[in-house]
Amino acid sequence: LAALYTNLVAQGMQSQPDALQVGATIEDLDIFDIRAMRTRTDDAMVIEVYDLLECGSNNHMRSFGGQIENQGANYSAQFLTQTEVDTILSSGREQCGG
């Protein structure tokens, strides 16, 4: 985790497009981890928290993805499958929570 952090910080400091790619990568990993953790519980309250966290990360992924596309580039999935990322990016903004 420390090495990933160091690498992402170094990459993000190179340029604005690189920083956007790093932001999308962080959300990619967050969603991947949230989905994995959700499978480890049957506690409804914990699952609700995971759902809210994923909702927020999906919206963040859309924001980073939109900015990346505005710069003429694309985001390539690092942790989720490309199909999962493309589904998030092509869907509408979610309303998270109450």
Side-chain angles (χ1 to χ4, degrees):
L1 190 57
L4 177 62
Y5 172 82
T6 300
N7 291 338
L8 290 175
V9 168
Q11 180 185 346
M13 298 288 280
Q14 293 179 24
S15 68
Q16 182 181 8
D18 288 319
L20 293 170
Q21 290 287 340
V22 167
T25 299
I26 291 168
E27 296 306 333
D28 186 347
L29 177 58
D30 285 350
I31 296 164
F32 179 85
D33 287 343
I34 290 164
R35 289 178 179 179
M37 294 303 294
R38 184 186 293 117
T39 67
R40 297 182 183 143
T41 186
D42 59 1
D43 184 311
M45 291 180 74
V46 173
I47 291 170
E48 182 179 354
V49 170
Y50 287 145
D51 288 345
L52 291 170
L53 289 169
E54 184 173 347
C55 178
S57 287
N58 287 342
N59 286 336
H60 295 158
M61 174 69 82
R62 286 183 199 94
S63 294
F64 285 117
Q67 290 298 312
I68 291 167
E69 287 179 11
N70 287 343
Q71 295 187 357
N74 293 302
Y75 175 71
S76 296
Q78 305 295 308
F79 300 96
L80 297 170
T81 66
Q82 190 64 48
T83 299
E84 290 171 313
V85 168
D86 291 344
T87 298
I88 293 167
L89 294 176
S90 66
S91 61
R93 184 163 185 80
E94 298 172 60
Q95 187 69 15
C96 306

